[in-house]
C-alpha cells in the first residue's frame, strides 16, 4: 500500500526509518486532504441538486445553523490538524536530536562542492561514507553562501549557513549509494553541486576509516621531517610553498611561467584554461581544489593525464594553503585583470 503511494507520488525508495516515518505522515496528509476534498465537493454537488431553484417564486428560507453545526465545522478540521501534529511533531523532535554515541561528521558546503571531515581528521570531497545501521550526526556549515544538504532517499534536508553550524542526523538501513543534492540556489553551478552518500557495511567502514587515519598520520609524519608544514606563525602562502615542495607538486608544475609536465602555476589563478574537451574554465579556488582531488576530470589542453589524485593525501588546511600559494604567484604587470567574475567571492578560511 505505502509502496504504491510512494510510486504514485514519484518518491524514491526510503533508505531509513526516518524516511519511512516522513512518508507515513506524507501519505496520511495526502489521503486525509483528498478525502476531505472529495467530501466537500460531493456535499456541494448534492446541495446543488437537492436545493436547486425550482420556479420563479421559489425563495430560499433563512436558515440559522445550530451550535453543533458550528462545532462540527471547526472541530473536524481541527481534529485532523491535531492528528497531523501528533504524528509530525515527535518526528521533528526526533529528527533534530541525534542519539548519544552518534558518529559526528563535519559537512562543509562551498561553491560548488560538499566536503566531509570525519572523526580523527580524515576528510573527503563529494563523497560521504557512513556505516549502515549506526547513527551519524552531521554538523553542517558553509564557506561562502547558503547551501542546503539534501538526500532524497533519507528524506533529509538541512540548510548550510555561512558562519553557523546546523545539525541533523540519520541512520541508513543498509549498504548502498544515495544521491546528495544542494537544494538552495547558490550560483552558477548550483545544479552541479552533487555528492554521493556511500553506506558501507559497518566492519568495512571501520577498516576504511582506520586506513584513512593511518594515511593521514603518515602524511603528518612525513610533513614533520622538513619542518612543520603548517607551523603556526608562518603565513598561509609560506605553508603552501612547503606543502607543494614536500608533496612533489613542484616537480611537475613550474612557478616561473615555464612549461613543464603540468601547467605552470605562475598567473594560474583566475586564468581561463582550455580543457582537452574544448571547454574553457576559470582557474578559481574551486577548480584548483578539484584539480588536486580529481586531476583526471579536467585535463588542460596539450597536457597528459599523469597527475595522481591528492585526495586523502592533503588535509583541508593544506589544500587551502596550496591554493593560497598559487594565488600568490601573480606577475605584477598582468595583475590588473578585469576578470573578477562571480559576485560571491570567498577567501579560503583557516
Ligand atoms: Cu550549493 Cu546550491
Amino acid at each position: 500500500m505505502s509502496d504504491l503511494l510512494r510510486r504514485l507520488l514519484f518518491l524514491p525508495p526510503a533508505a531509513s526509518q526516518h524516511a519511512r516515518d516522513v512518508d507515513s505522515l506524507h501519505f496520511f496528509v495526502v489521503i486525509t486532504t483528498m478525502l476531505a476534498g472529495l467530501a466537500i465537493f460531493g456535499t456541494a454537488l448534492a446541495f446543488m441538486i437537492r436545493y436547486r431553484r425550482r420556479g420563479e417564486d421559489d425563495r430560499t428560507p433563512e436558515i440559522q445553523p445550530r451550535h453543533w453545526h458550528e462545532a462540527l465545522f471547526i472541530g473536524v478540521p481541527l481534529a485532523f490538524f491535531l492528528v497531523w501534529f501528533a504524528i509530525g511533531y515527535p518526528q521533528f523532535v526526533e529528527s533534530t536530536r541525534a542519539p548519544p554515541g552518534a558518529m559526528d561528521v563535519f559537512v562543509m558546503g562551498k561553491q560548488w562542492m560538499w566536503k566531509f571531515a570525519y572523526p580523527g581528521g580524515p576528510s573527503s570531497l563529494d563523497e560521504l561514507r557512513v556505516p549502515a545501521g549506526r547513527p551519524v550526526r552531521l554538523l553542517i556549515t558553509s564557506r561562502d553562501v547558503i547551501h542546503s544538504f539534501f538526500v532524497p532517499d533519507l528524506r533529509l534536508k538541512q540548510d548550510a549557513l555561512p558562519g553557523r553550524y546546523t545539525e541533523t542526523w540519520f541512520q541508513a538501513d543498509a549498504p548502498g549509494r544515495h544521491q546528495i543534492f544542494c537544494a538552495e540556489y547558490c550560483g552558477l553551478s548550483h545544479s552541479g553541486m552533487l555528492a554521493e552518500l556511500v553506506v558501507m557495511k559497518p566492519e568495512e567502514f571501520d577498516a576504511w576509516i582506520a586506513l584513512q587515519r593511518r594515511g593521514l598520520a603518515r602524511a603528518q609524519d612525513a610533513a614533520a621531517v622538513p619542518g612543520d608544514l603548517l607551523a603556526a606563525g608562518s603565513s598561509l602562502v609560506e605553508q603552501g610553498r612547503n606543502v607543494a615542495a614536500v608533496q612533489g607538486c613542484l616537480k611537475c608544475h613550474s612557478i616561473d611561467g615555464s612549461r613543464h609536465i603540468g601547467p605552470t602555476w605562475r598567473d594560474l589563478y583566475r586564468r581561463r584554461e582550455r580543457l582537452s574537451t574544448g571547454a574553457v574554465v576559470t582557474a578559481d579556488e574551486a577548480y584548483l581544489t578539484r584539480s588536486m582531488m580529481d586531476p583526471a576530470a579536467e585535463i588542460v589542453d596539450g597536457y597528459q593525464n599523469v597527475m595522481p589524485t591528492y585526495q586523502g593525501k592533503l588535509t583541508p588546511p593544506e589544500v587551502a594553503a596550496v591554493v593560497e600559494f598559487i594565488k600568490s604567484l601573480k606577475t605584477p604587470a598582468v595583475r590588473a585583470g578585469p576578470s573578477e567574475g562571480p559576485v560571491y567571492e570567498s577567501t579560503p578560511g583557516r
Side-chain angles (χ1 to χ4, degrees):
M1 172 67 176
S2 74
D3 203 50
L4 176 71
L5 280 167
R6 182 181 67 70
R7 281 163 196 279
L8 281 174
L9 294 169
F10 300 103
L11 294 169
S16 69
Q17 187 54 47
H18 171 74
R20 283 185 290 279
D21 292 347
V22 169
D23 281 359
S24 314
L25 177 62
H26 188 173
F27 300 155
F28 182 71
V29 170
V30 168
I31 289 170
T32 48
T33 45
M34 282 184 83
L35 288 180
L38 275 175
I40 291 168
F41 181 76
T43 310
L45 202 67
F47 275 36
M48 272 160 66
I49 295 164
R50 176 129 161 56
Y51 300 110
R52 71 185 182 280
R53 196 176 183 202
R54 285 160 211 267
E56 274 305 310
D57 45 359
D58 189 4
R59 292 183 65 90
T60 308
E62 190 179 323
I63 298 166
Q64 287 293 334
R66 310 223 180 90
H67 285 309
W68 66 269
H69 288 147
E70 303 269 10
L72 217 60
F73 265 63
I74 298 168
V76 171
L78 187 69
F80 273 121
F81 173 78
L82 286 177
V83 173
W84 297 344
F85 186 79
I87 303 174
Y89 186 66
Q91 276 183 17
F92 168 73
V93 171
E94 159 110 353
S95 75
T96 54
R97 291 198 193 144
M103 177 178 86
D104 280 345
V105 178
F106 285 88
V107 181
M108 193 181 73
K110 175 182 177 305
Q111 287 170 322
W112 288 278
M113 61 191 75
W114 292 104
K115 206 149 113 180
F116 305 98
Y118 302 87
S123 63
S124 61
L125 202 66
D126 288 344
E127 190 183 67
L128 171 59
R129 287 174 179 264
V130 299
R134 286 191 208 157
V136 176
R137 183 165 72 135
L138 302 177
L139 293 148
I140 306 170
T141 190
S142 163
R143 200 167 101 172
D144 35 44
V145 299
I146 300 177
H147 304 276
S148 185
F149 184 84
F150 179 32
V151 192
D153 293 356
L154 296 175
R155 314 290 190 260
L156 192 77
K157 191 188 276 177
Q158 180 63 59
D159 275 3
L161 306 170
R164 218 200 280 185
Y165 277 99
T166 49
E167 191 186 318
T168 188
W169 75 279
F170 66 92
Q171 181 172 321
D173 288 335
R177 289 169 176 267
H178 307 280
Q179 183 70 57
I180 298 171
F181 291 101
C182 176
E184 180 69 53
Y185 183 67
C186 55
L188 208 56
S189 299
H190 158 71
S191 60
M193 190 168 164
L194 306 170
E196 196 173 33
L197 170 68
V198 181
V199 183
M200 306 168 82
K201 288 190 185 129
E203 59 278 9
E204 281 175 13
F205 176 82
D206 291 339
W208 175 80
I209 194 102
L211 197 70
Q212 296 296 308
R213 284 184 189 140
R214 266 207 300 283
L216 195 67
R218 251 203 316 278
Q220 278 160 354
D221 286 349
V225 177
D228 190 0
L229 287 192
L230 298 176
S234 63
S235 76
L236 204 55
V237 171
E238 268 310 309
Q239 293 167 13
R241 186 193 299 274
N242 288 337
V243 173
V246 171
Q247 293 286 354
C249 311
L250 303 179
K251 286 182 189 140
C252 297
H253 298 279
S254 77
I255 56 171
D256 60 2
S258 62
R259 190 190 162 93
H260 202 31
I261 296 166
T264 182
W265 280 2
R266 164 96 13 207
D267 296 318
L268 171 59
Y269 181 61
R270 296 229 136 265
R271 187 159 73 205
R272 305 274 290 162
E273 291 278 44
R274 177 172 292 280
L275 303 180
S276 55
T277 57
V280 176
V281 295
T282 301
D284 54 7
E285 287 94 343
Y287 168 82
L288 296 174
T289 311
R290 256 193 338 264
S291 297
M292 288 182 238
M293 299 306 144
D294 189 9
E298 291 160 302
I299 304 291
V300 177
D301 201 12
Y303 288 90
Q304 296 295 309
N305 175 16
V306 291
M307 180 172 155
T309 175
Y310 280 82
Q311 183 145 14
K313 292 185 198 160
L314 294 176
T315 64
E318 285 173 342
V319 172
V322 172
V323 170
E324 281 303 286
F325 175 49
I326 294 173
K327 285 166 78 174
S328 75
L329 295 169
K330 285 239 172 212
T331 308
V334 294
R335 205 186 169 85
S339 60
E340 290 297 309
V343 183
Y344 299 116
E345 270 297 347
S346 66
T347 42
R350 290 278 347 253

